Amino acid sequence: MSRKNKTAPTRRNAHKIRPEARCALWLARHPGFIAAPSALATSMIELGATTTGGIAAGTLAAGLGWYRAHPGSFSRIAAPRLRATRRRWTRYIGRSWKTSLDFCNLTVDDRRTGEILVPRLLRVASPTPSIDVLRVAIRKGQSVTTFRDAQEEFASALGADAISIEKEKPRVLRITLVFGNPFDDIVPPADIPGDPSEVDLTALELGDTEYGEVWTEPLLGQHWLISGGTGSGKGSLLWNPLRAMGPMIRERIVRVSVIDPKGGMETERGKPLFYRHASPADEDVEYDDGDGPEDIDPMLALLYEFRDRMRERQDLLRREGKRKFTPAVETPFEVLMIDELMMLTALAGRRMIGEVNKLLAEILTQGRAAGFAVIAYVQEPTKDIVPVRDLFTRRVSLRTGAASFVDMVLGEGARDRGALADEIPETGAEGIGFRTTETSRQPVRVRAGYSTDDDIDELVRLCTPHDDPPADSNVYSIAA
């Protein structure tokens, strides 16, 4: 906004808010600056210095004990509040905040008083070590467009690598800032456990989180949807789960079936690991649904077979009166991986699309209790491409080409809370993305371990099932 006529007539300066009034308003908005010293002084007078010091030391010891005993809950509950308080008074301190806005022409001149009006910082949240979310009350004459037009300059002024500016309500903006890259180096692939007893299907290692911790996800009783553009690193989330389950695959406690509509280029190297594998390069499969044999696409045939094994498992558990599935050689945990779901649900023939979506809906709604899981990979997670999107219980968004895709995968408001997957660089950031959990909608930045061809060969060498796989049949008996 123009700064012309910056000096206003003297008679209008009478309307300018006095310093003492500003101070009173500031203290009213930050009562802690009065309450904390008052409480400390009262404690010193009433209880004495020794007791007050003991209370302070006890509080500090309790916090440290909480951090050591249960770092997960501390990081989820206490750490964001402590971080937000520290950054509010270091990174966004009054004069620094005003200077950053002023340099980006995001302040307003009050023509009545001649003073510079600064958008007010209402709240700072710091949900993760590298993400800040600001609520800002803008001034009259400003809009979300005003800030978006200067967002690159504003991000630079605040030292942020990525920025998102959204309207929260009239005259209040939500500004999400992402700082730095917590993953300085490529994350190594997941370790292959030595024995099936070391495999935890409720916590498969996939890579690292931005907290510097091992990133794990449960697969038993879950279905995963992995979204990301070309070159985003979806392959890392294909091989790492296999490495984490390796000994169970070797002992046939886990059976993995793979549908690779891209022709097998990604999965061919690991084919000895898979119980079933289908791609467009395979010949059509003959099946009989009771009305006579018919040739169908091999990928659709694999889906039918996977669905039928699920039904057989359901019947078995029902006969045995079991409500909980336990993986075993006799009843293995069945995993279906679909590398590029869009090829089946949007780009195939109309009849096949209908059958695929119907089969997936049945598996996703009924398979978890019976020990059947689906991991699907997709570039565009829109409803017309993935109509069963909401049936996936665990979701990861790697680098994506559209801001709207983030909320489609991680849930409404995920991008506003910091999941700027569309801002991830196209080079040097393969495998970096965001995920949420069942217990928290707050996205966490993660990076999947990178598997080289040698790592895949090692996995095949160490974890190919001992016995010869069952001979491939070219006739599937499909239940109607």
Side-chain angles (χ1 to χ4, degrees), residues 164-188:
S164 167
I165 302 174
E166 303 294 336
K167 178 182 176 181
E168 184 174 289
K169 61 182 183 179
R171 296 184 64 180
V172 175
L173 304 182
R174 179 190 294 268
I175 301 177
T176 303
L177 302 161
V178 177
F179 296 88
N181 180 5
F183 310 105
D184 295 329
D185 301 312
I186 293 176
V187 176

PDB file of all heavy atoms in Angstrom, residues 164-188:
ATOM      1  N   SER A 164       2.363 -21.484   3.428  1.00  0.00           N
ATOM      2  CA  SER A 164       0.979 -21.604   2.966  1.00  0.00           C
ATOM      3  C   SER A 164       0.156 -20.544   3.686  1.00  0.00           C
ATOM      4  O   SER A 164       0.262 -20.388   4.909  1.00  0.00           O
ATOM      5  CB  SER A 164       0.427 -22.997   3.273  1.00  0.00           C
ATOM      6  OG  SER A 164      -0.980 -23.029   3.101  1.00  0.00           O
ATOM      7  N   ILE A 165      -0.655 -19.800   2.923  1.00  0.00           N
ATOM      8  CA  ILE A 165      -1.474 -18.729   3.502  1.00  0.00           C
ATOM      9  C   ILE A 165      -2.925 -18.984   3.135  1.00  0.00           C
ATOM     10  O   ILE A 165      -3.273 -19.032   1.956  1.00  0.00           O
ATOM     11  CB  ILE A 165      -1.021 -17.350   2.986  1.00  0.00           C
ATOM     12  CG1 ILE A 165       0.455 -17.112   3.328  1.00  0.00           C
ATOM     13  CG2 ILE A 165      -1.887 -16.250   3.580  1.00  0.00           C
ATOM     14  CD1 ILE A 165       1.034 -15.841   2.732  1.00  0.00           C
ATOM     15  N   GLU A 166      -3.766 -19.181   4.145  1.00  0.00           N
ATOM     16  CA  GLU A 166      -5.175 -19.476   3.925  1.00  0.00           C
ATOM     17  C   GLU A 166      -6.036 -18.570   4.800  1.00  0.00           C
ATOM     18  O   GLU A 166      -5.619 -18.137   5.875  1.00  0.00           O
ATOM     19  CB  GLU A 166      -5.485 -20.946   4.264  1.00  0.00           C
ATOM     20  CG  GLU A 166      -4.662 -21.961   3.495  1.00  0.00           C
ATOM     21  CD  GLU A 166      -4.964 -21.965   2.019  1.00  0.00           C
ATOM     22  OE1 GLU A 166      -6.082 -21.538   1.649  1.00  0.00           O
ATOM     23  OE2 GLU A 166      -4.095 -22.400   1.238  1.00  0.00           O
ATOM     24  N   LYS A 167      -7.245 -18.297   4.318  1.00  0.00           N
ATOM     25  CA  LYS A 167      -8.205 -17.515   5.096  1.00  0.00           C
ATOM     26  C   LYS A 167      -8.903 -18.434   6.080  1.00  0.00           C
ATOM     27  O   LYS A 167      -9.520 -19.427   5.684  1.00  0.00           O
ATOM     28  CB  LYS A 167      -9.215 -16.858   4.154  1.00  0.00           C
ATOM     29  CG  LYS A 167     -10.292 -16.052   4.868  1.00  0.00           C
ATOM     30  CD  LYS A 167     -11.265 -15.472   3.865  1.00  0.00           C
ATOM     31  CE  LYS A 167     -12.411 -14.727   4.554  1.00  0.00           C
ATOM     32  NZ  LYS A 167     -13.378 -14.191   3.567  1.00  0.00           N
ATOM     33  N   GLU A 168      -8.810 -18.118   7.372  1.00  0.00           N
ATOM     34  CA  GLU A 168      -9.482 -18.924   8.394  1.00  0.00           C
ATOM     35  C   GLU A 168     -10.888 -18.426   8.648  1.00  0.00           C
ATOM     36  O   GLU A 168     -11.829 -19.201   8.768  1.00  0.00           O
ATOM     37  CB  GLU A 168      -8.666 -18.905   9.686  1.00  0.00           C
ATOM     38  CG  GLU A 168      -9.244 -19.795  10.776  1.00  0.00           C
ATOM     39  CD  GLU A 168      -8.343 -19.875  11.976  1.00  0.00           C
ATOM     40  OE1 GLU A 168      -7.268 -20.511  11.879  1.00  0.00           O
ATOM     41  OE2 GLU A 168      -8.705 -19.296  13.022  1.00  0.00           O
ATOM     42  N   LYS A 169     -11.045 -17.128   8.746  1.00  0.00           N
ATOM     43  CA  LYS A 169     -12.340 -16.473   8.877  1.00  0.00           C
ATOM     44  C   LYS A 169     -12.135 -15.017   8.501  1.00  0.00           C
ATOM     45  O   LYS A 169     -10.993 -14.595   8.261  1.00  0.00           O
ATOM     46  CB  LYS A 169     -12.894 -16.621  10.295  1.00  0.00           C
ATOM     47  CG  LYS A 169     -12.038 -16.018  11.390  1.00  0.00           C
ATOM     48  CD  LYS A 169     -12.675 -16.280  12.754  1.00  0.00           C
ATOM     49  CE  LYS A 169     -11.883 -15.638  13.876  1.00  0.00           C
ATOM     50  NZ  LYS A 169     -12.515 -15.879  15.193  1.00  0.00           N
ATOM     51  N   PRO A 170     -13.186 -14.215   8.407  1.00  0.00           N
ATOM     52  CA  PRO A 170     -12.997 -12.810   7.999  1.00  0.00           C
ATOM     53  C   PRO A 170     -11.938 -12.099   8.843  1.00  0.00           C
ATOM     54  O   PRO A 170     -11.983 -12.119  10.067  1.00  0.00           O
ATOM     55  CB  PRO A 170     -14.388 -12.198   8.208  1.00  0.00           C
ATOM     56  CG  PRO A 170     -15.316 -13.343   8.003  1.00  0.00           C
ATOM     57  CD  PRO A 170     -14.615 -14.536   8.567  1.00  0.00           C
ATOM     58  N   ARG A 171     -10.945 -11.545   8.156  1.00  0.00           N
ATOM     59  CA  ARG A 171      -9.863 -10.755   8.748  1.00  0.00           C
ATOM     60  C   ARG A 171      -8.911 -11.575   9.622  1.00  0.00           C
ATOM     61  O   ARG A 171      -8.141 -11.016  10.397  1.00  0.00           O
ATOM     62  CB  ARG A 171     -10.443  -9.580   9.539  1.00  0.00           C
ATOM     63  CG  ARG A 171     -11.203  -8.578   8.679  1.00  0.00           C
ATOM     64  CD  ARG A 171     -11.680  -7.388   9.477  1.00  0.00           C
ATOM     65  NE  ARG A 171     -10.546  -6.605   9.999  1.00  0.00           N
ATOM     66  CZ  ARG A 171     -10.705  -5.510  10.741  1.00  0.00           C
ATOM     67  NH1 ARG A 171     -11.927  -5.096  11.054  1.00  0.00           N
ATOM     68  NH2 ARG A 171      -9.652  -4.864  11.178  1.00  0.00           N
ATOM     69  N   VAL A 172      -8.951 -12.892   9.485  1.00  0.00           N
ATOM     70  CA  VAL A 172      -7.991 -13.747  10.205  1.00  0.00           C
ATOM     71  C   VAL A 172      -7.409 -14.748   9.219  1.00  0.00           C
ATOM     72  O   VAL A 172      -8.145 -15.464   8.531  1.00  0.00           O
ATOM     73  CB  VAL A 172      -8.645 -14.485  11.388  1.00  0.00           C
ATOM     74  CG1 VAL A 172      -7.640 -15.448  12.031  1.00  0.00           C
ATOM     75  CG2 VAL A 172      -9.160 -13.497  12.420  1.00  0.00           C
ATOM     76  N   LEU A 173      -6.080 -14.788   9.143  1.00  0.00           N
ATOM     77  CA  LEU A 173      -5.380 -15.706   8.248  1.00  0.00           C
ATOM     78  C   LEU A 173      -4.679 -16.794   9.050  1.00  0.00           C
ATOM     79  O   LEU A 173      -4.288 -16.597  10.197  1.00  0.00           O
ATOM     80  CB  LEU A 173      -4.337 -14.954   7.412  1.00  0.00           C
ATOM     81  CG  LEU A 173      -4.805 -13.765   6.576  1.00  0.00           C
ATOM     82  CD1 LEU A 173      -3.634 -13.201   5.793  1.00  0.00           C
ATOM     83  CD2 LEU A 173      -5.934 -14.161   5.652  1.00  0.00           C
ATOM     84  N   ARG A 174      -4.542 -17.943   8.422  1.00  0.00           N
ATOM     85  CA  ARG A 174      -3.715 -19.020   8.964  1.00  0.00           C
ATOM     86  C   ARG A 174      -2.480 -19.144   8.070  1.00  0.00           C
ATOM     87  O   ARG A 174      -2.606 -19.439   6.871  1.00  0.00           O
ATOM     88  CB  ARG A 174      -4.475 -20.342   8.994  1.00  0.00           C
ATOM     89  CG  ARG A 174      -3.645 -21.516   9.531  1.00  0.00           C
ATOM     90  CD  ARG A 174      -4.367 -22.826   9.315  1.00  0.00           C
ATOM     91  NE  ARG A 174      -5.575 -22.905  10.107  1.00  0.00           N
ATOM     92  CZ  ARG A 174      -5.628 -23.440  11.325  1.00  0.00           C
ATOM     93  NH1 ARG A 174      -4.523 -23.952  11.873  1.00  0.00           N
ATOM     94  NH2 ARG A 174      -6.749 -23.488  11.988  1.00  0.00           N
ATOM     95  N   ILE A 175      -1.320 -18.902   8.633  1.00  0.00           N
ATOM     96  CA  ILE A 175      -0.067 -18.940   7.873  1.00  0.00           C
ATOM     97  C   ILE A 175       0.767 -20.107   8.383  1.00  0.00           C
ATOM     98  O   ILE A 175       1.125 -20.164   9.569  1.00  0.00           O
ATOM     99  CB  ILE A 175       0.710 -17.625   8.019  1.00  0.00           C
ATOM    100  CG1 ILE A 175      -0.144 -16.456   7.517  1.00  0.00           C
ATOM    101  CG2 ILE A 175       2.029 -17.686   7.270  1.00  0.00           C
ATOM    102  CD1 ILE A 175       0.498 -15.093   7.692  1.00  0.00           C
ATOM    103  N   THR A 176       1.048 -21.059   7.509  1.00  0.00           N
ATOM    104  CA  THR A 176       1.842 -22.242   7.859  1.00  0.00           C
ATOM    105  C   THR A 176       3.236 -22.087   7.276  1.00  0.00           C
ATOM    106  O   THR A 176       3.388 -21.819   6.078  1.00  0.00           O
ATOM    107  CB  THR A 176       1.178 -23.512   7.310  1.00  0.00           C
ATOM    108  OG1 THR A 176      -0.154 -23.610   7.815  1.00  0.00           O
ATOM    109  CG2 THR A 176       1.956 -24.747   7.733  1.00  0.00           C
ATOM    110  N   LEU A 177       4.242 -22.246   8.117  1.00  0.00           N
ATOM    111  CA  LEU A 177       5.640 -22.076   7.715  1.00  0.00           C
ATOM    112  C   LEU A 177       6.402 -23.367   7.971  1.00  0.00           C
ATOM    113  O   LEU A 177       6.260 -23.981   9.034  1.00  0.00           O
ATOM    114  CB  LEU A 177       6.283 -20.937   8.514  1.00  0.00           C
ATOM    115  CG  LEU A 177       5.611 -19.557   8.385  1.00  0.00           C
ATOM    116  CD1 LEU A 177       6.031 -18.660   9.532  1.00  0.00           C
ATOM    117  CD2 LEU A 177       5.968 -18.920   7.052  1.00  0.00           C
ATOM    118  N   VAL A 178       7.191 -23.770   7.004  1.00  0.00           N
ATOM    119  CA  VAL A 178       8.035 -24.967   7.141  1.00  0.00           C
ATOM    120  C   VAL A 178       9.489 -24.529   7.078  1.00  0.00           C
ATOM    121  O   VAL A 178       9.894 -23.820   6.140  1.00  0.00           O
ATOM    122  CB  VAL A 178       7.741 -25.995   6.031  1.00  0.00           C
ATOM    123  CG1 VAL A 178       8.674 -27.187   6.158  1.00  0.00           C
ATOM    124  CG2 VAL A 178       6.289 -26.451   6.106  1.00  0.00           C
ATOM    125  N   PHE A 179      10.256 -24.929   8.069  1.00  0.00           N
ATOM    126  CA  PHE A 179      11.651 -24.507   8.187  1.00  0.00           C
ATOM    127  C   PHE A 179      12.594 -25.697   7.995  1.00  0.00           C
ATOM    128  O   PHE A 179      12.443 -26.728   8.648  1.00  0.00           O
ATOM    129  CB  PHE A 179      11.913 -23.887   9.565  1.00  0.00           C
ATOM    130  CG  PHE A 179      11.149 -22.625   9.819  1.00  0.00           C
ATOM    131  CD1 PHE A 179       9.870 -22.663  10.354  1.00  0.00           C
ATOM    132  CD2 PHE A 179      11.687 -21.386   9.506  1.00  0.00           C
ATOM    133  CE1 PHE A 179       9.154 -21.504  10.594  1.00  0.00           C
ATOM    134  CE2 PHE A 179      10.974 -20.219   9.728  1.00  0.00           C
ATOM    135  CZ  PHE A 179       9.708 -20.284  10.272  1.00  0.00           C
ATOM    136  N   GLY A 180      13.550 -25.514   7.102  1.00  0.00           N
ATOM    137  CA  GLY A 180      14.638 -26.470   6.970  1.00  0.00           C
ATOM    138  C   GLY A 180      14.209 -27.840   6.483  1.00  0.00           C
ATOM    139  O   GLY A 180      13.043 -28.119   6.225  1.00  0.00           O
ATOM    140  N   ASN A 181      15.183 -28.708   6.347  1.00  0.00           N
ATOM    141  CA  ASN A 181      14.977 -30.098   5.964  1.00  0.00           C
ATOM    142  C   ASN A 181      15.585 -30.974   7.051  1.00  0.00           C
ATOM    143  O   ASN A 181      16.808 -31.028   7.192  1.00  0.00           O
ATOM    144  CB  ASN A 181      15.634 -30.381   4.611  1.00  0.00           C
ATOM    145  CG  ASN A 181      15.436 -31.826   4.172  1.00  0.00           C
ATOM    146  OD1 ASN A 181      14.726 -32.597   4.825  1.00  0.00           O
ATOM    147  ND2 ASN A 181      16.058 -32.210   3.070  1.00  0.00           N
ATOM    148  N   PRO A 182      14.750 -31.634   7.851  1.00  0.00           N
ATOM    149  CA  PRO A 182      15.304 -32.441   8.942  1.00  0.00           C
ATOM    150  C   PRO A 182      16.037 -33.682   8.460  1.00  0.00           C
ATOM    151  O   PRO A 182      16.664 -34.370   9.267  1.00  0.00           O
ATOM    152  CB  PRO A 182      14.060 -32.814   9.754  1.00  0.00           C
ATOM    153  CG  PRO A 182      12.937 -32.763   8.772  1.00  0.00           C
ATOM    154  CD  PRO A 182      13.296 -31.671   7.807  1.00  0.00           C
ATOM    155  N   PHE A 183      15.950 -33.964   7.165  1.00  0.00           N
ATOM    156  CA  PHE A 183      16.600 -35.153   6.617  1.00  0.00           C
ATOM    157  C   PHE A 183      17.787 -34.710   5.765  1.00  0.00           C
ATOM    158  O   PHE A 183      17.674 -34.528   4.554  1.00  0.00           O
ATOM    159  CB  PHE A 183      15.607 -35.966   5.789  1.00  0.00           C
ATOM    160  CG  PHE A 183      14.312 -36.232   6.512  1.00  0.00           C
ATOM    161  CD1 PHE A 183      13.156 -35.544   6.172  1.00  0.00           C
ATOM    162  CD2 PHE A 183      14.244 -37.152   7.544  1.00  0.00           C
ATOM    163  CE1 PHE A 183      11.963 -35.776   6.825  1.00  0.00           C
ATOM    164  CE2 PHE A 183      13.055 -37.391   8.215  1.00  0.00           C
ATOM    165  CZ  PHE A 183      11.918 -36.706   7.855  1.00  0.00           C
ATOM    166  N   ASP A 184      18.924 -34.517   6.421  1.00  0.00           N
ATOM    167  CA  ASP A 184      20.105 -34.030   5.704  1.00  0.00           C
ATOM    168  C   ASP A 184      20.651 -35.055   4.722  1.00  0.00           C
ATOM    169  O   ASP A 184      21.204 -34.706   3.680  1.00  0.00           O
ATOM    170  CB  ASP A 184      21.197 -33.652   6.714  1.00  0.00           C
ATOM    171  CG  ASP A 184      20.781 -32.483   7.590  1.00  0.00           C
ATOM    172  OD1 ASP A 184      20.015 -31.631   7.107  1.00  0.00           O
ATOM    173  OD2 ASP A 184      21.201 -32.427   8.758  1.00  0.00           O
ATOM    174  N   ASP A 185      20.502 -36.329   5.064  1.00  0.00           N
ATOM    175  CA  ASP A 185      21.053 -37.397   4.231  1.00  0.00           C
ATOM    176  C   ASP A 185      19.946 -38.370   3.841  1.00  0.00           C
ATOM    177  O   ASP A 185      18.871 -38.401   4.446  1.00  0.00           O
ATOM    178  CB  ASP A 185      22.156 -38.154   4.989  1.00  0.00           C
ATOM    179  CG  ASP A 185      23.300 -37.242   5.419  1.00  0.00           C
ATOM    180  OD1 ASP A 185      23.780 -36.471   4.553  1.00  0.00           O
ATOM    181  OD2 ASP A 185      23.684 -37.279   6.600  1.00  0.00           O
ATOM    182  N   ILE A 186      20.251 -39.168   2.833  1.00  0.00           N
ATOM    183  CA  ILE A 186      19.319 -40.225   2.439  1.00  0.00           C
ATOM    184  C   ILE A 186      19.181 -41.219   3.590  1.00  0.00           C
ATOM    185  O   ILE A 186      20.160 -41.605   4.227  1.00  0.00           O
ATOM    186  CB  ILE A 186      19.830 -40.938   1.172  1.00  0.00           C
ATOM    187  CG1 ILE A 186      19.776 -39.967  -0.013  1.00  0.00           C
ATOM    188  CG2 ILE A 186      18.999 -42.180   0.871  1.00  0.00           C
ATOM    189  CD1 ILE A 186      20.342 -40.536  -1.295  1.00  0.00           C
ATOM    190  N   VAL A 187      17.955 -41.598   3.885  1.00  0.00           N
ATOM    191  CA  VAL A 187      17.692 -42.545   4.966  1.00  0.00           C
ATOM    192  C   VAL A 187      17.959 -43.968   4.457  1.00  0.00           C
ATOM    193  O   VAL A 187      17.472 -44.335   3.380  1.00  0.00           O
ATOM    194  CB  VAL A 187      16.242 -42.412   5.464  1.00  0.00           C
ATOM    195  CG1 VAL A 187      15.926 -43.467   6.517  1.00  0.00           C
ATOM    196  CG2 VAL A 187      16.006 -41.009   6.008  1.00  0.00           C
ATOM    197  N   PRO A 188      18.715 -44.772   5.181  1.00  0.00           N
ATOM    198  CA  PRO A 188      18.980 -46.146   4.731  1.00  0.00           C
ATOM    199  C   PRO A 188      17.720 -46.989   4.781  1.00  0.00           C
ATOM    200  O   PRO A 188      16.775 -46.668   5.513  1.00  0.00           O
ATOM    201  CB  PRO A 188      20.028 -46.648   5.731  1.00  0.00           C
ATOM    202  CG  PRO A 188      19.831 -45.809   6.947  1.00  0.00           C
ATOM    203  CD  PRO A 188      19.388 -44.469   6.445  1.00  0.00           C
TER     204      PRO A 188
END
